Amino acid sequence: LPSEAERGFERARRGAFIQDALSFLRYVSPNLLPFETVRERLGLGEQKYLGVQDIQLEQIAGSVGRAGDFTRAFLPRTDRVRSRWQAIQQTSSAKGIKPIQVYQVGLVYFVLDGNHRVSVARQAGWKTIQAHVWQFETRVPLEPDDALEDVLIRQEYLEFLERTQLDQHRPDIYMILTRPGRYRDFEEQIAIHRHYIEVARGENISFQEAAVDWYDSVYRPMVDVIHEQKMLTLFAGRTEADLVNWIIGNQARLRQRYGGQAQDMASGAAGMAYKNLWQRILSWFRRKVLRWPVHTGERWHQ
């Protein structure tokens, strides 16, 4: 008869197959993040050793060199990890697995050594695991439900921050977009905003100064209305920055109907969304059936 370790591995392999087969229905990608790509795209800074810590297993969402061997839930995708997996499962206990080694980027951990141990621990239902942690500096957030596509968008966010320096003047800034190419839209709006300020003042200002004024007088007021009107509940999977970007893209129509102030356009957009029956049905389906998240504008919490 197969041993418990063999049965456990077979269950995990079947789970990986099912997870991959149903991935088109899931909001979160079934794939682990490859550290090499994240390091290249996000221009990670210095690293520092934080010692041995108990870390949340659900925050381990990437791997160094082994991203293709396991799913995001660390279910094994290949038989070549079988012998090592079963050996660890046979000898593991709540205190029997030695600490793994991980890199930390934002709120995501990448396994440097211990992929099989993480897999076994997750299958056993553990919530935490001990790890040697090396933390990398990063200028943009990385969160446990981010996919590779999000990493590429974070690269665009990094370039946006480098050009605007907004995070230097507004340290709590959190302008997360979910579609590529949209930060360029914001930069175009800042350039237009800069022009109007210079005309009104009769003097030149820097792009960075214009970015701060645009953020304070245009972006933030729209975000406040978005939260007051609970618009994000109608756009599961989208962020407040996505909605601001949509409002700005349709500002000519919104301005004509509701006025030129940022708050007026945002309020008008909220009214249009709530009157759209199809939008309400689609949002319900995404939230209740597909389990798409409703973003709150806050960072992912541990």
Side-chain angles (χ1 to χ4, degrees), residues 214-226 262-263 266:
W214 173 84
Y215 179 80
D216 291 340
S217 63
V218 178
Y219 182 86
R220 281 304 316 176
M222 286 190 185
V223 167
D224 291 340
V225 172
I226 286 168
Q263 297 96 323

mmCIF file of all heavy atoms in Angstrom, residues 214-226 262-263 266:
data_model
loop_
_atom_site.group_PDB
_atom_site.id
_atom_site.type_symbol
_atom_site.label_atom_id
_atom_site.label_comp_id
_atom_site.label_asym_id
_atom_site.label_seq_id
_atom_site.Cartn_x
_atom_site.Cartn_y
_atom_site.Cartn_z
ATOM 1 N N TRP A 214 -1.233 68.741 -8.800
ATOM 2 C CA TRP A 214 -2.243 67.900 -9.448
ATOM 3 C C TRP A 214 -2.741 66.828 -8.489
ATOM 4 O O TRP A 214 -3.948 66.567 -8.404
ATOM 5 C CB TRP A 214 -1.643 67.259 -10.698
ATOM 6 C CG TRP A 214 -2.512 66.243 -11.359
ATOM 7 C CD1 TRP A 214 -3.522 66.469 -12.255
ATOM 8 C CD2 TRP A 214 -2.469 64.811 -11.167
ATOM 9 N NE1 TRP A 214 -4.101 65.276 -12.637
ATOM 10 C CE2 TRP A 214 -3.473 64.253 -11.990
ATOM 11 C CE3 TRP A 214 -1.675 63.973 -10.388
ATOM 12 C CZ2 TRP A 214 -3.696 62.875 -12.044
ATOM 13 C CZ3 TRP A 214 -1.899 62.600 -10.441
ATOM 14 C CH2 TRP A 214 -2.900 62.065 -11.259
ATOM 15 N N TYR A 215 -1.829 66.213 -7.762
ATOM 16 C CA TYR A 215 -2.202 65.163 -6.815
ATOM 17 C C TYR A 215 -3.125 65.729 -5.731
ATOM 18 O O TYR A 215 -4.138 65.109 -5.394
ATOM 19 C CB TYR A 215 -0.944 64.573 -6.176
ATOM 20 C CG TYR A 215 -1.213 63.491 -5.161
ATOM 21 C CD1 TYR A 215 -1.484 62.195 -5.562
ATOM 22 C CD2 TYR A 215 -1.200 63.769 -3.790
ATOM 23 C CE1 TYR A 215 -1.742 61.189 -4.629
ATOM 24 C CE2 TYR A 215 -1.459 62.788 -2.855
ATOM 25 C CZ TYR A 215 -1.721 61.492 -3.281
ATOM 26 O OH TYR A 215 -1.987 60.511 -2.356
ATOM 27 N N ASP A 216 -2.799 66.907 -5.215
ATOM 28 C CA ASP A 216 -3.576 67.496 -4.124
ATOM 29 C C ASP A 216 -4.921 68.048 -4.587
ATOM 30 O O ASP A 216 -5.922 67.932 -3.862
ATOM 31 C CB ASP A 216 -2.785 68.623 -3.457
ATOM 32 C CG ASP A 216 -1.579 68.117 -2.680
ATOM 33 O OD1 ASP A 216 -1.551 66.913 -2.338
ATOM 34 O OD2 ASP A 216 -0.660 68.918 -2.415
ATOM 35 N N SER A 217 -4.949 68.661 -5.764
ATOM 36 C CA SER A 217 -6.150 69.382 -6.180
ATOM 37 C C SER A 217 -7.043 68.602 -7.148
ATOM 38 O O SER A 217 -8.212 68.951 -7.319
ATOM 39 C CB SER A 217 -5.757 70.714 -6.826
ATOM 40 O OG SER A 217 -4.984 70.504 -8.004
ATOM 41 N N VAL A 218 -6.517 67.559 -7.774
ATOM 42 C CA VAL A 218 -7.305 66.779 -8.730
ATOM 43 C C VAL A 218 -7.460 65.331 -8.276
ATOM 44 O O VAL A 218 -8.579 64.834 -8.097
ATOM 45 C CB VAL A 218 -6.670 66.825 -10.144
ATOM 46 C CG1 VAL A 218 -7.481 65.962 -11.109
ATOM 47 C CG2 VAL A 218 -6.592 68.264 -10.645
ATOM 48 N N TYR A 219 -6.343 64.654 -8.079
ATOM 49 C CA TYR A 219 -6.391 63.218 -7.794
ATOM 50 C C TYR A 219 -7.049 62.925 -6.446
ATOM 51 O O TYR A 219 -8.005 62.147 -6.365
ATOM 52 C CB TYR A 219 -4.985 62.632 -7.839
ATOM 53 C CG TYR A 219 -4.941 61.133 -7.611
ATOM 54 C CD1 TYR A 219 -5.114 60.253 -8.678
ATOM 55 C CD2 TYR A 219 -4.742 60.595 -6.347
ATOM 56 C CE1 TYR A 219 -5.091 58.879 -8.481
ATOM 57 C CE2 TYR A 219 -4.718 59.232 -6.138
ATOM 58 C CZ TYR A 219 -4.888 58.369 -7.203
ATOM 59 O OH TYR A 219 -4.876 57.019 -6.999
ATOM 60 N N ARG A 220 -6.555 63.542 -5.377
ATOM 61 C CA ARG A 220 -7.074 63.234 -4.045
ATOM 62 C C ARG A 220 -8.553 63.574 -3.886
ATOM 63 O O ARG A 220 -9.317 62.778 -3.311
ATOM 64 C CB ARG A 220 -6.261 63.958 -2.973
ATOM 65 C CG ARG A 220 -4.930 63.319 -2.633
ATOM 66 C CD ARG A 220 -5.026 61.876 -2.199
ATOM 67 N NE ARG A 220 -6.099 61.604 -1.262
ATOM 68 C CZ ARG A 220 -6.406 60.396 -0.822
ATOM 69 N NH1 ARG A 220 -5.722 59.344 -1.235
ATOM 70 N NH2 ARG A 220 -7.391 60.211 0.040
ATOM 71 N N PRO A 221 -9.031 64.734 -4.385
ATOM 72 C CA PRO A 221 -10.473 65.005 -4.273
ATOM 73 C C PRO A 221 -11.330 63.953 -4.969
ATOM 74 O O PRO A 221 -12.397 63.585 -4.465
ATOM 75 C CB PRO A 221 -10.624 66.379 -4.943
ATOM 76 C CG PRO A 221 -9.298 67.034 -4.734
ATOM 77 C CD PRO A 221 -8.303 65.924 -4.871
ATOM 78 N N MET A 222 -10.864 63.447 -6.118
ATOM 79 C CA MET A 222 -11.609 62.390 -6.800
ATOM 80 C C MET A 222 -11.614 61.111 -5.966
ATOM 81 O O MET A 222 -12.644 60.428 -5.854
ATOM 82 C CB MET A 222 -11.002 62.114 -8.173
ATOM 83 C CG MET A 222 -11.292 63.170 -9.214
ATOM 84 S SD MET A 222 -10.772 62.611 -10.856
ATOM 85 C CE MET A 222 -11.097 64.099 -11.819
ATOM 86 N N VAL A 223 -10.488 60.786 -5.385
ATOM 87 C CA VAL A 223 -10.403 59.583 -4.552
ATOM 88 C C VAL A 223 -11.346 59.695 -3.361
ATOM 89 O O VAL A 223 -12.016 58.717 -2.993
ATOM 90 C CB VAL A 223 -8.948 59.365 -4.080
ATOM 91 C CG1 VAL A 223 -8.891 58.319 -2.970
ATOM 92 C CG2 VAL A 223 -8.076 58.919 -5.244
ATOM 93 N N ASP A 224 -11.417 60.871 -2.760
ATOM 94 C CA ASP A 224 -12.316 61.053 -1.612
ATOM 95 C C ASP A 224 -13.764 60.781 -2.004
ATOM 96 O O ASP A 224 -14.509 60.115 -1.265
ATOM 97 C CB ASP A 224 -12.182 62.475 -1.062
ATOM 98 C CG ASP A 224 -10.831 62.723 -0.393
ATOM 99 O OD1 ASP A 224 -10.176 61.722 -0.023
ATOM 100 O OD2 ASP A 224 -10.442 63.893 -0.259
ATOM 101 N N VAL A 225 -14.186 61.279 -3.160
ATOM 102 C CA VAL A 225 -15.557 61.041 -3.624
ATOM 103 C C VAL A 225 -15.766 59.564 -3.937
ATOM 104 O O VAL A 225 -16.824 58.993 -3.625
ATOM 105 C CB VAL A 225 -15.867 61.904 -4.861
ATOM 106 C CG1 VAL A 225 -17.220 61.522 -5.455
ATOM 107 C CG2 VAL A 225 -15.848 63.382 -4.505
ATOM 108 N N ILE A 226 -14.789 58.927 -4.545
ATOM 109 C CA ILE A 226 -14.884 57.494 -4.869
ATOM 110 C C ILE A 226 -15.171 56.683 -3.620
ATOM 111 O O ILE A 226 -16.008 55.764 -3.631
ATOM 112 C CB ILE A 226 -13.585 57.018 -5.553
ATOM 113 C CG1 ILE A 226 -13.540 57.532 -7.004
ATOM 114 C CG2 ILE A 226 -13.474 55.492 -5.528
ATOM 115 C CD1 ILE A 226 -12.191 57.358 -7.676
ATOM 116 N N ALA A 262 -13.121 68.585 -9.851
ATOM 117 C CA ALA A 262 -12.788 67.164 -9.722
ATOM 118 C C ALA A 262 -13.871 66.396 -8.974
ATOM 119 O O ALA A 262 -14.279 65.307 -9.376
ATOM 120 C CB ALA A 262 -11.435 67.010 -9.022
ATOM 121 N N GLN A 263 -14.344 66.990 -7.868
ATOM 122 C CA GLN A 263 -15.371 66.313 -7.073
ATOM 123 C C GLN A 263 -16.661 66.141 -7.857
ATOM 124 O O GLN A 263 -17.339 65.113 -7.748
ATOM 125 C CB GLN A 263 -15.660 67.097 -5.779
ATOM 126 C CG GLN A 263 -14.471 67.201 -4.839
ATOM 127 C CD GLN A 263 -13.699 68.491 -5.016
ATOM 128 O OE1 GLN A 263 -13.550 68.981 -6.153
ATOM 129 N NE2 GLN A 263 -13.223 69.041 -3.929
ATOM 130 N N ALA A 266 -16.315 63.298 -10.377
ATOM 131 C CA ALA A 266 -16.307 62.004 -9.700
ATOM 132 C C ALA A 266 -17.708 61.633 -9.225
ATOM 133 O O ALA A 266 -18.140 60.478 -9.353
ATOM 134 C CB ALA A 266 -15.331 62.033 -8.525
#
